[in-house]
């Protein structure tokens, strides 16, 4: 997939449809094109939906229930995802023809090309590269900057983490955990060649007392919003032996995502 045209489109539209944050605002974008957006509790049916009915496009965003509300950042990302479907010509044409109606899933987990393209659009629309790099100049970014970016740009924590990894310098690995297992792992290209490709996949393999293990076990969340501990390569990448010269120390930071699990950030302890 060549994502460059989608990124260029998204970041260009972010300038045209700005809100109060640092990037684009999908509600402003939809309003500018006279597309109605409805927020509501749609249960597990979908996170977002764009459809063409009665000669017009209609967008829907799942706000969750009183007992399990979606955060404002997650709702904003969902809206931006649907705005991506509307803005990408091939997606809009497919939905208008009735062949592209979809039920959006969350957490960057879909393998459908159309969904992946809308995720890429949403991430760059909400967090344009220039604005992101202007706000965070130091190479030692981490969980603090991810949480700040999610609030400043009005997006989900997962989106903020992936954009920081893509746009900011330095090696990093992101691991999204479900209740027991890894949902996905993202590693920047340089570290991909240096480290084994796959991290541990089962929560039972986590080192006792590690940041991630603490959150998975239900530890209280500090006021800062994340837990930090030291770890090693061998604790996460089983192909690295504990006695190997490659078994360097890493910084492990774990961010709770509520019902969506835990997001782990691994970075070297030097920059």
């Amino acid at each position: 997939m060549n994502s460059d045209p989608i990124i260029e489109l998204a970041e260009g539209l972010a300038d045209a449809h700005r809100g109060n944050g640092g990037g684009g605002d999908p509600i402003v974008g939809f309003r500018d094109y006279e597309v109605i957006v409805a927020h509501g509790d749609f249960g597990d049916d979908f996170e977002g939906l764009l459809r063409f009915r009665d000669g017009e496009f209609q967008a829907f965003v799942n706000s969750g229930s009183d007992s399990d509300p979606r955060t404002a950042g997650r709702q904003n990302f969902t809206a931006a995802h649907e705005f991506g479907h509307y803005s990408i010509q091939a997606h809009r044409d497919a939905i208008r023809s009735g062949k592209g109606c979809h039920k959006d899933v969350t957490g960057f987990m879909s393998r459908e090309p159309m969904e992946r393209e809308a995720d890429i659009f949403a991430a760059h629309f909400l967090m344009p590269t220039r604005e992101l790099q202007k706000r965070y100049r130091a190479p030692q970014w981490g969980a603090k900057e991810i949480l700040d970016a999610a609030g400043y740009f009005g997006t989900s924590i997962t989106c903020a983490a992936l954009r920081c990894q893509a746009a900011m310098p330095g090696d990093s690995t992101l691991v999204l955990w479900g209740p027991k297992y890894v949902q996905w792992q993202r590693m920047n290209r340089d570290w991909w060649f240096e480290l084994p490709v796959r991290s541990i996949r089962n929560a039972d393999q986590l080192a006792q007392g590690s940041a991630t293990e603490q959150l998975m076990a239900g530890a209280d969340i500090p006021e800062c919003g994340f837990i930090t501990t030291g770890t090693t390569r061998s604790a996460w990448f089983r192909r690295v032996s504990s006695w190997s010269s490659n078994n360097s120390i890493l910084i492990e930071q774990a961010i709770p995502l509520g019902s969506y699990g835990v997001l782990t950030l691994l970075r070297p302890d030097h920059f």
Side-chain angles (χ1 to χ4, degrees):
M1 177 194 304
N2 181 12
S3 59
D4 289 345
I6 295 173
I7 292 172
E8 183 178 358
L9 173 66
E11 299 202 358
L13 287 174
D15 287 332
H17 306 293
R18 283 193 176 275
N20 297 323
D25 186 327
I27 303 304
V28 171
F30 275 128
R31 185 182 64 207
D32 289 344
Y33 294 116
E34 300 183 345
V35 175
I36 295 175
V37 181
H39 289 73
D41 178 10
F42 300 109
D44 296 327
D45 290 344
F46 57 80
E47 287 302 306
L49 177 69
L50 180 71
R51 71 182 184 184
F52 186 76
R53 179 170 293 183
D54 299 327
E56 64 179 12
F57 283 96
Q58 303 164 346
F60 300 85
V61 175
N62 194 342
S63 58
S65 62
D66 291 339
S67 61
D68 185 24
R70 306 300 194 263
T71 65
R74 184 166 292 277
Q75 291 183 56
N76 206 35
F77 180 85
T78 299
H81 177 105
E82 302 312 321
F83 188 58
H85 285 311
Y86 181 83
S87 301
I88 299 170
Q89 183 70 51
H91 295 202
R92 188 165 66 249
D93 291 345
I95 292 169
R96 181 185 282 112
S97 70
K99 298 178 180 179
C101 190
H102 71 291
K103 293 186 177 181
D104 175 30
V105 297
T106 63
F108 294 82
M109 289 185 287
S110 177
R111 296 184 179 181
E112 297 269 347
M114 194 166 163
E115 294 299 288
R116 291 171 60 192
E117 289 175 350
D119 277 345
I120 292 169
F121 177 97
H124 284 265
F125 177 78
L126 294 171
M127 300 181 67
T129 303
R130 184 179 65 239
E131 300 299 328
L132 178 59
Q133 293 176 342
K134 185 189 303 181
R135 186 168 178 84
Y136 309 108
R137 299 181 182 275
Q140 61 269 29
W141 62 273
K144 178 181 177 181
E145 287 72 24
I146 289 171
L147 291 174
D148 179 82
Y152 178 73
F153 289 98
T155 187
S156 67
I157 294 172
T158 303
C159 173
L162 287 167
R163 289 294 293 122
C164 284
Q165 182 182 60
M168 304 291 283
D171 293 329
S172 61
T173 295
L174 294 168
V175 185
L176 179 66
W177 292 87
K180 286 286 293 181
Y181 302 101
V182 169
Q183 301 295 316
W184 53 250
Q185 172 195 321
R186 303 285 191 275
M187 186 183 297
N188 69 290
R189 182 176 176 81
D190 291 340
W191 236 18
W192 190 91
F193 284 105
E194 185 178 343
L195 291 177
V197 175
R198 286 171 65 89
S199 68
I200 57 175
R201 315 298 289 178
N202 191 316
D204 293 338
Q205 298 174 306
L206 289 165
Q208 188 172 5
S210 68
T212 306
E213 190 274 337
Q214 290 183 55
L215 284 184
M216 298 283 279
D220 292 336
I221 304 168
E223 186 176 346
C224 65
F226 58 91
I227 297 177
T228 300
T229 57
T231 188
T232 61
R233 289 190 184 189
S234 62
W236 280 88
F237 301 94
R238 291 304 175 91
R239 289 175 58 189
V240 177
S241 301
S242 59
W243 46 262
S244 169
S245 60
N246 292 324
N247 188 27
S248 57
I249 296 174
L250 305 176
I251 301 299
E252 176 185 341
Q253 296 184 309
I255 306 173
L257 302 178
S259 60
Y260 294 97
V262 173
L263 183 67
T264 302
L265 170 66
L266 301 173
R267 298 211 66 194
D269 69 336
H270 58 84
F271 303 95

